[in-house]
Amino acid sequence: PAGGVSLRLCSTRVALEGINKPVIDRIIRVDHAGEYGANRIYAGQMAVLGRSSVGPIIRQMWNQEKDHLKKFDELMVAYRVRPTVLLPFWNVAGFVLGAGSALLGKKGAMACTVAVEESISDHYNSQIRTLMEEDPEKYKELLQIIKQFRDDEREHHDIGLEHDAEAAPAYSVLKTAIQLGCKAAIFLSERI
């Protein structure tokens, strides 16, 4: 080794023996789709509100979502998981949801953030329970990632509340509609 430093080639793939491949495929596929969709939502919000007083807050949350997506891009390769075929749809739907909620103003954008991030953190909690029941030691790395991302989503949820999400026009109707959409997106992305 040059300079006394040991160089080791590192594979981007993980050992797939002994894992519950169908469960892991569903988890990684849907989480990748969710983080992709979240990126598109924040892109839509930034297109409308990027130069407003809330722009830097949206940018900060979006940057975390970009990191999440990058990690799930890596996990897709490592676990050899195919993405959902619905990514082109989530591309458009996410941007339209983000821009549409932002057209309601700062409060509308934050209401969207609260609704989405609450749905996603609940979904992550469900995945954590599934992996804990499977084998917490075997899925230790994946559990750490999901827990960290869940905590980030909770933080985004709280930021939305701190920035008057609940004062958005028809907040409860808007939140319910967005969360129903999230549930449908989760169901479809796990399977298709």
Side-chain angles (χ1 to χ4, degrees):
V5 176
S6 170
L7 299 178
R8 185 182 70 134
L9 293 177
C10 183
S11 171
T12 57
R13 292 190 170 169
V14 295
L16 299 178
E17 305 86 43
I19 69 164
N20 188 336
K21 185 85 166 105
V23 168
I24 298 305
D25 284 2
R26 280 175 82 145
I27 287 173
I28 293 174
R29 180 177 303 109
V30 72
D31 290 355
H32 176 265
E35 297 299 348
Y36 182 84
N39 269 271
R40 299 305 297 147
I41 290 168
Y42 285 117
Q45 290 181 349
M46 284 298 291
V48 175
L49 296 172
R51 294 177 185 236
S52 73
S53 63
V54 77
I57 294 159
I58 295 170
R59 167 79 59 200
Q60 174 192 355
M61 293 187 290
W62 189 17
N63 286 339
Q64 281 186 308
E65 299 297 349
K66 287 176 185 178
D67 290 340
H68 295 180
L69 180 58
K70 182 179 178 202
K71 186 56 167 176
F72 276 107
D73 281 338
E74 293 168 5
L75 290 172
M76 298 277 286
V77 172
Y79 284 91
R80 299 178 219 157
V81 177
R82 69 160 178 81
T84 176
V85 298
L86 297 171
L87 282 183
F89 180 75
W90 301 148
N91 178 29
V92 174
F95 190 88
V96 168
L97 177 58
S101 66
L103 286 170
L104 297 173
K106 172 187 128 175
K107 295 172 187 172
M110 291 298 139
C112 176
T113 296
V114 167
V116 170
E117 302 296 21
E118 184 176 295
S119 295
I120 300 309
S121 63
D122 289 349
H123 178 68
Y124 277 153
N125 279 334
S126 174
Q127 290 180 337
I128 290 165
R129 282 189 296 276
T130 297
L131 292 173
M132 292 297 286
E133 289 168 8
E134 282 283 326
D135 186 341
E137 194 55 40
K138 187 184 300 177
Y139 302 111
K140 185 177 180 179
E141 179 190 5
L142 191 54
L143 277 163
Q144 280 181 306
I145 292 164
I146 293 172
K147 286 177 183 178
Q148 177 59 56
F149 291 179
R150 182 229 21 225
D151 293 347
D152 292 345
E153 308 307 356
R154 283 183 178 165
E155 181 184 333
H156 299 171
H157 170 272
D158 294 347
I159 288 169
L161 290 176
E162 290 165 12
H163 287 86
D164 304 320
E166 294 170 307
Y171 172 73
S172 61
V173 172
L174 183 62
K175 182 180 175 190
T176 300
I178 292 170
Q179 289 185 325
L180 286 171
C182 287
K183 285 181 183 177
I186 288 167
F187 179 85
L188 293 170
S189 293
E190 282 180 330
R191 291 160 175 83
I192 302 174

